[in-house]
Structure formats: C-alpha cells, structure tokens
Amino acid sequence: MEQSDQISILLVEDDAAARANIAAILTGAGMAVEQAEDGAVGLTRAGSGTHDVVILDRMLPSLSGIDIVKRMRGAGVGAPVLMLSALGRSEHRVEGLESGVDDYLAKPFEPDELVARVRALWRRASRRNPDPVLLFGDLECHVKARTVWRQGRHLALSPKEFELFLYLMHHAGEVVTREMLLRHVWKLSFDPQTNVVDVNVGRLRRKLEEGFDGPVLETVWGTGYRLIAAAPAVAATGRAGAASGG
C-alpha cells in the first residue's frame, strides 16, 4: 500500500468552492493539504520548499500559476508542480509545461485522476538520484540547485532548458528520441505538431557549445539527440582550472 499520508500538498486556488472540493479529495486520499487563495501568498509558501507536490490553478489573483512556477524554478525550488486549468488546449498545456510545470490537468477532472497524478509526481520525485551532482565529460549538473556548468563556466538555462538538459544527462551517451522528450520533459502523450522540441534543443545546444572548443550535443539524423563527452584533455580542466584562468 502506498504511503499517501506522507504526501504534503500546497494547493493554490482562488475559487473557494473548487479549493474546498480539491482539498477534500486529497485529504480523503490521506494527504496533508495546505491551502492558499492568492498567487503572491502561494509563491511565498511554495518558496519554503517543505511541500512534496504543489498544485496551482492557472488563473490566480496577484500572480498567475505560470508566474509562480517560473519564479519557483528561478529560485531553485524543485518541488513537482501540477497545474489545473479550464484552458485545456494543447497550446495551453505546452505553455504551462514550458514554464516549468511537471504535469497539467484540464478542468473538469475526475477525482481519481487528480489523486493518481499527484501520487505519480510524488513517486517520480522520491525516486530521483540522491546524488545532487551529475557529471559527464566536462559537463556538470547540480540537480537540487538546478545549475549547469561546462569546464567550470556557469551556463544560465531557462527552466525548460534545464529539464531538457537533466533528462539528457540521465541518458548521457544514449540516443534520445523526440517522442521520448515530448513524453518525459513536456509530459505529452501526443505530438502537438509544433517544433517546440527542436527549438529548445537548438537553444540548449547554443548555450552548451558557444565559446567552447568542441560539441557536446549532437543530432542523430532521423532518430533524435545525444549528449557526447568532450575530449578528456578538455574535461580535465574542470572548474578549478577555469577559475584560475579567469
């Protein structure tokens, strides 16, 4: 039996009736729910970093759900976020997922699906590698701090670029298909028929490679993308070497 009573939820929803209904569903499933009805208050409480899952309504007073998750990710708050919204078209889901949301559920929804999605987010977060640093070649990813380095140089990535890079790092040296990225980074079970993957891979590649000697993100034509290790002599410089030369 799953230990759902261990899941701590922050619920940010301005509609009192909807908030009470959602809280009742979650507490009925054994979860602890803290509530907020305003975007600014929700952001403050989310910043505490004490919640296992954050549930955000998209349209909120003061700050929208999109604004909250962008600021959370910018501040290094990595709690998984489930966004609820009456705007359920594919472009709305893509916008939410691009901002750093982990899952997106359109209103109205079935109570069982809400509980299942929250538990799935909690399980994924619980299984994350406890080692906060991932290394591959001359690339370095600090998972909890959500920072990325190459040859000791910090690379400023957007929230979605970081999620994309993190997934590639977990599969470093392997070919990752466009469908895998849509499913695991954008949480889409369908192809939205946009170039969202290609655009973000292109942006990430520029940040990883501009100003450096060798490529680290290659396109495997007709298949997908792959992180490749830089030459050992370059990787050996590390952060200390870069710092001493700067």
Side-chain angles (χ1 to χ4, degrees), residues 8-153:
S8 172
I9 307 295
L10 172 63
L11 170 62
V12 188
E13 165 67 72
D14 64 313
D15 184 280
R19 188 173 64 254
N21 181 53
I22 294 168
I25 292 169
L26 298 175
T27 54
M31 304 178 194
V33 182
E34 180 180 3
Q35 302 178 40
E37 61 184 23
D38 175 88
V41 174
L43 176 62
T44 299
R45 294 182 182 174
S48 69
T50 59
H51 304 94
D52 296 314
V53 178
V54 177
I55 300 177
L56 298 174
D57 184 37
R58 183 175 177 128
M59 305 298 290
L60 291 165
S62 303
L63 289 172
S64 72
I66 297 286
D67 290 331
I68 292 174
V69 76
K70 284 182 177 179
R71 296 195 188 189
M72 284 174 60
R73 299 310 186 220
V77 179
V81 173
L82 171 62
M83 178 164 283
L84 306 178
S85 177
L87 303 177
R89 296 177 60 179
S90 62
E91 58 264 35
H92 299 135
R93 289 197 292 271
V94 168
E95 182 186 9
L97 295 164
E98 280 272 86
S99 71
V101 169
D102 298 276
D103 198 1
Y104 195 105
L105 184 58
K107 299 177 180 179
F109 49 80
E110 293 296 326
D112 288 348
E113 183 177 7
L114 172 65
V115 172
R117 298 235 190 168
V118 170
R119 286 176 173 163
L121 288 173
W122 176 69
R123 284 195 300 268
R124 286 203 296 268
S126 299
R127 287 198 302 263
R128 285 174 185 163
N129 191 335
D131 181 0
V133 181
L134 301 177
L135 302 173
F136 180 70
D138 60 0
L139 296 169
E140 183 176 337
C141 178
H142 291 242
V143 179
K144 292 184 178 179
R146 299 178 68 85
T147 57
V148 174
W149 308 75
R150 183 176 180 191
Q151 296 180 19
R153 184 191 309 175

Side-chain angles (χ1 to χ4, degrees), residues 3 11 136 196 212 236:
Q3 297 179 345
L11 170 62
F136 180 70
V196 62
F212 297 97

Side-chain angles (χ1 to χ4, degrees), residues 113-222:
E113 183 177 7
L114 172 65
V115 172
R117 298 235 190 168
V118 170
R119 286 176 173 163
L121 288 173
W122 176 69
R123 284 195 300 268
R124 286 203 296 268
S126 299
R127 287 198 302 263
R128 285 174 185 163
N129 191 335
D131 181 0
V133 181
L134 301 177
L135 302 173
F136 180 70
D138 60 0
L139 296 169
E140 183 176 337
C141 178
H142 291 242
V143 179
K144 292 184 178 179
R146 299 178 68 85
T147 57
V148 174
W149 308 75
R150 183 176 180 191
Q151 296 180 19
R153 184 191 309 175
H154 176 252
L155 308 178
L157 304 186
S158 70
K160 187 52 64 178
E161 289 166 355
F162 177 83
E163 295 296 335
L164 173 58
F165 177 74
L166 181 60
Y167 187 78
L168 290 167
M169 283 289 280
H170 279 303
H171 296 271
E174 304 172 11
V175 176
V176 174
T177 67
R178 187 173 184 274
E179 290 72 24
M180 290 168 67
L181 294 174
L182 283 170
R183 184 166 61 251
H184 295 287
V185 178
W186 278 267
K187 305 298 186 294
L188 296 176
S189 58
F190 63 97
D191 189 338
Q193 301 298 314
T194 70
N195 62 349
V196 62
V197 172
D198 312 279
V199 169
N200 279 273
V201 169
R203 290 173 179 166
L204 177 62
R205 178 184 283 118
R206 285 193 294 274
K207 292 183 179 181
L208 293 176
E209 297 180 356
E210 284 184 355
F212 297 97
D213 293 333
V216 290
L217 178 52
E218 68 175 7
T219 299
V220 181
W221 295 108

